Structure formats: structure tokens, C-alpha cells
């Protein structure tokens, strides 16, 4: 719309000035004939034809005059538009400084249009940076709040049990040993929480380095489940492994990957013991090794599934606090799987809850098969 108005203004002033110039020429011609009456139109035409060329040259002289005025007003219009656009850019830059900048309309005004595009890009990056800084500040506050809560709970229990012992408020040695055992369990929980926090911080700061080697994932899962034998027995659960008959080789950091499956199995025992069964499946799918940790306990609400791998997220906060969950284990598992170029996901219904880990298959193993 603005471009159309500028074109109409340019056309209007070009026609007006051209007409005024032609009228001025007519006025000068009349004045000339008034002072020199002997010079007639015919004599002038004869002179033009004799000294310049054909008589049409007189009429064609209006064309370059019109072109000159057209060029002048075009340049004048462009110059005024550039000045106006430059003023707008300066105002927007001042708004950027004040932190309340909006997107600048980009117009085809030479290099100023490119400058407007660059300013918009800069403003977008600045807005993104400010939002990230705001989220980081909010995350930091949440981290402090959650860590304070998680540390206070076991410390309160430890202080309470040790206080009972210190004040001799126990009936016999059996109750004394019970208080000591409870304090010891809470101290182990506190230690695990601090280890989770430390490991998660290292992952977030990208300080954790992977020491990769060729690993048979099926063998690793057999070894890990064997170490959970006493926990499975205490929770009256049975672990069943269904592995592909051929080896499941991946290139990974064994210690870090072990932590992933330990977290998933611990989580399955903690929240799926009502189902009495824990199934672990492994198979090949294309260029991926797919493993599943399945429990048959209470389902996870659909609204909670997208947040399972967020730090400090708990589906049932009271239940997690009772069983010692920190809300960091699944977040750590996701970071480790991401570092290996894999994907971890979860799905749940009334029958079962499945945590699926997909890792790239070892290239050499794929060639051999």
C-alpha cells in the first residue's frame, strides 16, 4: 500500500512539473515574439529545420525534460523513504536497548532492508536468550527448593532416631538396633541422593566423558539382574529375561549403561511389585538394539508420561518419598542414553508399564549378520 502511494506521488509531481515547464516555455516564446514581432513561427521552424533538423525536434524536446523531472522526483522519493525508514530503524534499536523491541517490518530499501532483517534476527536471539536465562533462573530456584526438601527428609529421620538413642528412649536392645538400622537406611538414602545430584550435575555440565567399548548387552542384562536377586526376593517378584538368541552388541560405556538399567530395574521393583513379575526383553530392529523393562504394577497416568524423564518429577510424591526415590534416576538414564545416541521412552496402560531403550547396533555386528 505504501509503495503504491509513493508511486502515485512520484507520477503526480512528474506530470505537474512537466506541464509547468512546458507552460513556462510557451510563456517565454510569447514574450520573445512580443519583443521581436518580425520573428514568426514559420521563420523559427525554418531555422530549426535548417540548423537543427526536422521540425519534430521542437516537439520532442519535451520528452527529455519529462524524463529529467521523472528521475529527479524518483530519486527524491527514494531518498525521503530511506530517511524515514532509517529513522524507524534507529527508534527500534533504542527499543531493543530498553528491552521492549518488536519485530521491524522489512522493506526493500537497499541495504537498509538487509539491516532490518539483521536487527530482527538479533532481537529474536536476544528474546530467546532472555527466555533461556529466565528459565535457568526458575530451574535454579526449583533445584534449590527440591534439593532442600529431599535432603531435609532423611536428615530429619536420622536426627530423630539418633535423638531417641541419645536420650535412651528405647525399651531394649532390639528396639535400639531397630533405631540404628533405620538411621543407617536413611543415611544410605541420603548418600544415594547426593550421588544422584552429583552425577546429574556432571551430565548437565557435560563433564561426563564416555569410555566406549564393544559390549554384549544381553550378557550385561543377565549380570545386572543377578545382582538384584535379593531385592527381587524381598519384594516377592520374579524376573524373566527374553533375549534374542544372537548377541546384542553395542558400542557403549559399560558403567554408564549399567546405571541406566539399574535405575530402570530399581524403578520397576519399587513401583511394580504388586504385579509380581519383572520382564526384560531384548531384540534387534533394523540398525538398533531394542531393550524393554516391563512391570505389571499400577499404571502411570497418561498426563504424567511426558514428564517422567524430567528431573525431580515424581508420579506419586508421597510414595516416592516413602520408598526413597529422588526423582533424578530417570533423568540420569535419559541423559546417558542421549549421550550414546539412543532414545528412551515409556508407555503404560492397565496391564503393564514398559520402559524402552533403543541403542545403535554395533556396525561390525551388523556386517557380520
Amino acid at each position: 500500500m505504501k509503495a503504491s502511494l509513493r508511486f502515485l506521488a512520484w507520477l503526480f509531481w512528474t506530470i505537474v512539473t512537466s506541464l509547468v515547464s512546458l507552460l513556462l516555455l510557451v510563456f517565454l516564446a510569447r514574450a520573445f515574439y512580443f519583443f521581436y514581432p518580425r520573428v514568426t513561427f514559420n521563420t523559427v521552424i525554418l531555422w530549426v529545420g535548417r540548423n537543427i533538423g526536422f521540425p519534430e525536434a521542437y516537439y520532442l524536446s519535451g520528452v527529455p525534460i519529462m524524463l529529467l523531472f521523472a528521475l529527479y522526483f524518483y530519486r527524491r522519493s527514494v531518498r525521503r523513504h530511506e530517511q524515514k525508514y532509517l529513522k524507524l530503524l534507529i527508534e527500534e534499536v533504542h527499543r531493543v536497548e530498553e528491552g521492549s523491541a518488536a519485530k521491524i517490518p522489512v522493506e526493500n530499501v537497499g541495504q537498509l532492508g538487509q539491516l532490518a532483517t539483521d536487527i530482527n534476527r538479533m532481537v529474536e536471539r536476544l528474546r530467546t536468550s532472555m527466555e533461556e536465562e529466565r528459565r535457568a533462573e526458575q530451574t535454579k530456584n526449583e533445584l534449590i527448593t527440591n534439593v532442600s526438601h529431599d535432603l531435609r527428609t532423611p536428615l530429619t529421620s536420622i536426627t530423630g532416631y539418633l535423638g531417641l538413642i541419645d536420650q535412651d528412649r528405647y525399651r531394649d536392645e532390639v528396639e535400639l538396633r531397630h533405631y540404628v538400622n533405620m538411621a543407617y537406611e536413611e543415611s544410605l538414602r541420603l548418600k544415594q541422593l547426593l550421588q544422584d545430584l552429583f552425577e546429574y550435575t556432571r551430565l548437565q555440565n557435560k563433564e561426563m566423558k564416555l569410555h566406549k567399548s564393544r559390549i554384549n548387552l544381553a550378557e550385561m542384562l543377565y549380570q545386572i539382574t543377578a545382582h538384584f536377586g535379593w531385592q527381587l526376593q524381598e519384594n516377592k517378584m520374579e524376573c524373566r529375561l527374553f533375549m534374542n538368541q544372537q548377541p546384542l552388541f553395542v558400542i557403549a560405556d559399560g558403567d554408564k549403561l549399567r546405571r541406566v538399567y539399574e535405575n530402570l530395574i530399581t524403578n520397576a521393583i519399587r513401583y511394580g511389585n504388586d504385579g509380581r513379575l519383572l520382564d526384560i526383553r531384548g531384540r534387534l530392529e533394523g540398525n538398533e538394539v531394542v531393550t524393554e523393562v516391563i512391570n505389571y504394577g499400577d499404571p502411570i497416568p497418561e498426563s504424567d508420561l511426558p514428564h517422567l524423564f524430567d528431573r525431580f518429577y515424581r508420579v506419586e510424591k508421597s510414595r516416592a518419598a516413602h520408598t526413597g526415590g529422588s526423582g533424578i534416576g530417570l533423568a540420569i538414564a535419559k541423559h546417558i542414553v542421549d549421550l550414546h545416541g539412543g532414545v528412551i521412552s515409556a508407555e503404560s496402560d492397565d496391564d503393564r508399564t514398559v520402559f524402552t531403550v533403543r541403542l545403535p547396533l554395533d556396525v561390525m555386528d551388523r556386517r557380520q549378520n
Side-chain angles (χ1 to χ4, degrees):
M1 186 66 181
K2 292 182 179 180
S4 301
L5 291 176
R6 288 198 301 270
F7 172 77
L8 292 176
W10 165 77
L11 182 62
F12 171 77
W13 286 111
T14 299
I15 295 174
V16 169
T17 52
S18 299
L19 291 175
V20 170
S21 300
L22 289 175
L23 290 174
L24 182 61
L25 287 175
V26 171
F27 174 76
L28 291 175
R30 288 182 176 277
F32 179 82
Y33 287 128
F34 178 79
F35 290 105
Y36 301 97
R38 293 181 180 181
V39 179
T40 63
F41 180 76
N42 290 331
T43 56
V44 172
I45 293 299
L46 291 173
W47 184 86
V48 171
R50 191 180 299 114
N51 296 279
I52 298 179
F54 297 102
E56 289 80 359
Y58 179 79
Y59 306 103
L60 293 177
S61 62
V63 175
I65 293 175
M66 188 172 183
L67 289 176
L68 287 175
F69 279 111
L71 179 62
Y72 168 76
F73 283 106
Y74 172 77
R75 295 289 299 273
R76 179 172 175 268
S77 175
V78 169
R79 192 162 53 249
R80 292 182 63 182
H81 182 53
E82 287 179 348
Q83 292 174 353
K84 184 178 180 180
Y85 196 57
L86 180 60
K87 184 179 179 181
L88 174 64
L89 293 181
I90 293 173
E91 292 176 354
E92 292 298 332
V93 170
H94 289 165
R95 291 180 183 175
V96 171
E97 183 181 1
E98 297 171 357
S100 59
K103 193 171 183 180
I104 304 173
V106 179
E107 298 183 13
N108 187 18
V109 192
Q111 294 183 345
L112 291 180
Q114 182 61 43
L115 178 60
T117 303
D118 294 339
I119 292 176
N120 284 336
R121 191 181 298 115
M122 179 189 69
V123 170
E124 188 63 30
R125 290 178 180 175
L126 181 61
R127 185 181 292 110
T128 302
S129 177
M130 292 174 64
E131 289 177 356
E132 289 178 353
E133 184 178 353
R134 193 179 299 110
R135 284 196 300 267
E137 184 68 21
Q138 182 179 358
T139 302
K140 183 183 72 174
N141 294 334
E142 292 176 356
L143 175 65
I144 294 173
T145 302
N146 290 323
V147 169
S148 300
H149 177 270
D150 287 335
L151 293 178
R152 185 175 63 242
T153 303
L155 280 175
T156 302
S157 298
I158 293 172
T159 304
Y161 289 124
L162 294 180
L164 293 174
I165 296 172
D166 182 63
Q167 298 170 17
D168 296 327
R169 296 173 59 183
Y170 53 89
R171 293 188 298 270
D172 50 28
E173 185 177 351
V174 175
E175 191 170 34
L176 171 63
R177 292 183 63 83
H178 173 71
Y179 290 159
V180 171
N181 184 61
M182 294 298 293
Y184 176 68
E185 289 183 358
E186 290 296 322
S187 67
L188 291 179
R189 178 188 166 197
L190 182 60
K191 178 183 177 182
Q192 184 63 47
L193 176 60
L194 291 173
Q195 287 179 345
D196 287 345
L197 287 170
F198 177 69
E199 187 166 357
Y200 186 80
T201 303
R202 290 179 62 195
L203 284 167
Q204 285 290 88
N205 295 333
K206 299 181 180 179
E207 296 177 1
M208 182 175 289
K209 296 182 180 179
L210 299 180
H211 303 283
K212 294 184 177 181
S213 60
R214 194 165 184 257
I215 297 172
N216 185 348
L217 200 55
E219 281 186 12
M220 174 184 285
L221 288 171
Y222 277 111
Q223 294 173 3
I224 294 174
T225 52
H227 292 160
F228 279 89
W230 67 272
Q231 294 186 33
L232 291 166
Q233 187 176 359
E234 281 191 350
N235 288 274
K236 299 178 181 180
M237 294 183 69
E238 177 188 355
C239 181
R240 303 182 300 185
L241 279 83
F242 303 90
M243 293 290 136
N244 198 322
Q245 292 184 355
Q246 58 185 358
L248 304 176
F249 284 109
V250 294
I251 300 297
D253 187 319
D255 293 335
K256 304 299 184 298
L257 210 56
R258 179 181 293 272
R259 181 66 188 276
V260 172
Y261 290 103
E262 287 177 350
N263 284 344
L264 294 180
I265 293 173
T266 300
N267 190 73
I269 294 175
R270 181 179 297 147
Y271 301 118
N273 53 11
D274 292 341
R276 303 304 179 193
L277 290 175
L278 169 60
D279 289 342
I280 301 177
R281 299 180 181 272
R283 64 182 183 276
L284 293 177
E285 281 190 8
N287 296 330
E288 293 180 326
V289 174
V290 181
T291 53
E292 296 175 339
V293 179
I294 308 169
N295 72 76
Y296 301 90
D298 294 334
I300 299 173
E302 186 176 355
S303 59
D304 292 316
L305 285 174
H307 307 287
L308 280 180
F309 301 100
D310 295 346
R311 58 183 172 188
F312 299 110
Y313 188 83
R314 295 168 178 166
V315 177
E316 299 177 31
K317 291 182 170 57
S318 60
R319 183 178 179 186
H322 176 70
T323 54
S326 65
I328 308 177
L330 291 179
I332 292 175
K334 183 180 186 306
H335 274 282
I336 293 175
V337 173
D338 289 345
L339 287 175
H340 284 83
V343 177
I344 185 171
S345 60
E347 58 183 73
S348 183
D349 55 32
D350 293 335
D351 296 325
R352 63 179 193 166
T353 296
V354 184
F355 285 88
T356 305
V357 178
R358 296 178 177 271
L359 295 170
L361 177 67
D362 179 20
V363 177
M364 295 299 296
D365 189 57
R366 184 172 62 242
R367 290 176 180 174
Q368 292 174 4
N369 292 297

